[in-house]
Amino acid sequence: MLRTHPVHAIPVQQKQIYKSLTQIVIEQLREQIYEGEHAPGTKLNIADIAKQLDISHLPVREALRNLEAEGLIEIHHNRGAVVKSLTPADVREIFLIRAPLEETVAAEAAMRWQARSELAVLERILQQMDKRGGQTA
């Protein structure tokens, strides 16, 4: 898309990101699964999804194959696609990966606090939490 800059009348090219129908379906279904709109064990019907999105069956079928490769769904021949349930091993793996990530994110966030007054407020809140020992107010 070409437009002109309002001040200088210089042509400016805007970058547009192209996404295929398959990519759009993958993103929508992935988000719906993560948000719990499709609970574990829920059957995903190709025809229903295609009708809901007003598209053909082909991009839906391809999206489901991609989601299976990601481990979010299972495709059973002659039975369709089903949202995968987490096993205890899956949950353990998620926590093993997530714990160090959360620690790193917290450390990075703390490094970005520049005002001493903000840090003092956080320290007071932490001290109050420690005094309560997990009790709610």
Side-chain angles (χ1 to χ4, degrees):
M1 171 181 232
L2 196 62
R3 65 182 177 94
T4 58
H5 188 279
V7 176
H8 305 287
I10 300 170
V12 177
Q13 182 113 15
Q14 285 186 336
K15 191 175 187 179
Q16 292 184 353
I17 299 172
Y18 172 80
K19 292 184 181 181
S20 68
L21 282 176
T22 301
Q23 290 169 315
I24 293 168
V25 175
I26 290 168
E27 289 173 6
Q28 287 184 0
L29 288 175
R30 185 186 298 126
E31 183 177 338
Q32 290 172 351
I33 291 169
Y34 286 154
E35 295 297 320
E37 293 177 40
H38 298 297
T42 301
K43 186 172 191 251
L44 300 175
N45 184 290
I46 293 173
D48 291 345
I49 295 168
K51 184 176 180 180
Q52 178 186 17
L53 298 175
D54 195 28
I55 59 175
S56 72
H57 292 193
L58 187 62
V60 177
R61 227 178 275 122
E62 187 62 31
L64 292 177
R65 284 191 205 109
N66 278 276
L67 292 172
E68 180 182 37
E70 290 179 21
L72 290 176
I73 67 169
E74 295 173 330
I75 297 176
H76 304 285
H77 298 291
N78 300 324
R79 291 193 338 217
V82 178
V83 177
K84 191 174 177 183
S85 298
L86 292 178
T87 65
D90 293 334
V91 173
R92 182 178 185 279
E93 183 177 338
I94 289 168
F95 281 108
L96 287 174
I97 293 169
R98 198 171 157 176
L101 289 176
E102 287 179 356
E103 183 179 326
T104 302
V105 169
E108 286 295 319
M111 296 299 290
R112 293 178 191 215
W113 288 94
Q114 295 181 356
R116 291 276 183 217
S117 61
E118 292 173 337
L119 284 174
V121 170
L122 289 175
E123 286 175 6
R124 282 194 300 274
I125 291 170
L126 183 59
Q127 288 171 355
Q128 289 173 354
M129 290 171 62
D130 287 340
K131 285 180 187 176
R132 289 187 183 147
Q135 298 173 359
T136 57

